Amino acid sequence: MLEVKTLDKPDERRDFPRGHLEAVHMTRLDFAVATFEPGWRWSESVAPIAGTDSCQIHHNGYVVQGRMHVRMDDGAEREVGPGDVFVVSPGHDAWVVGDEQCVVYDFAGGMAQDYAKKG
């Protein structure tokens, strides 16, 4: 198998308050580029769409630009920034830190499939 797509022509764009994602859907991989504007917070911008108290998507990500703070439902917290690779399990809130937009590549598949869709 050989499959190639370009983000210049994403399969899907999904807008949500203070951000959006663009995704390509491939065999065994959904890849998303998510852009979060300053002031974005999952619990305010996406929770009303998802219908859950915390984000229930698993993320495998890479931060390209900006900073994001993540707080797990169990209280664990961490901030990620440019060059950081991260894994975040379901059950978290997150928000942009500072005045710069945060751009994240997500390789988990869950973000491209279900993120910011009505639950």
Side-chain angles (χ1 to χ4, degrees), residues 3 11 20 28 36 43 47 54-55 63 65 96 99 103 108 110 119:
E3 190 174 0
D11 294 321
H20 67 274
R28 295 191 293 174
F36 306 99
S43 56
S54 62
C55 181
V63 181
Q65 174 186 325
V96 171
D99 295 329
V103 178

Side-chain angles (χ1 to χ4, degrees), residues 9 11 32 37 48 54-55 64 105 118:
K9 296 179 183 174
D11 294 321
E37 299 298 333
S54 62
C55 181
V64 178
Y105 293 168
K118 290 196 181 282

Side-chain angles (χ1 to χ4, degrees), residues 11 35 86 108 114:
D11 294 321
T35 302
F86 62 88
D114 301 321

Side-chain angles (χ1 to χ4, degrees), residues 99-112:
D99 295 329
E100 181 181 13
Q101 70 178 194
C102 185
V103 178
V104 175
Y105 293 168
D106 193 292
F107 298 86
M111 183 170 216

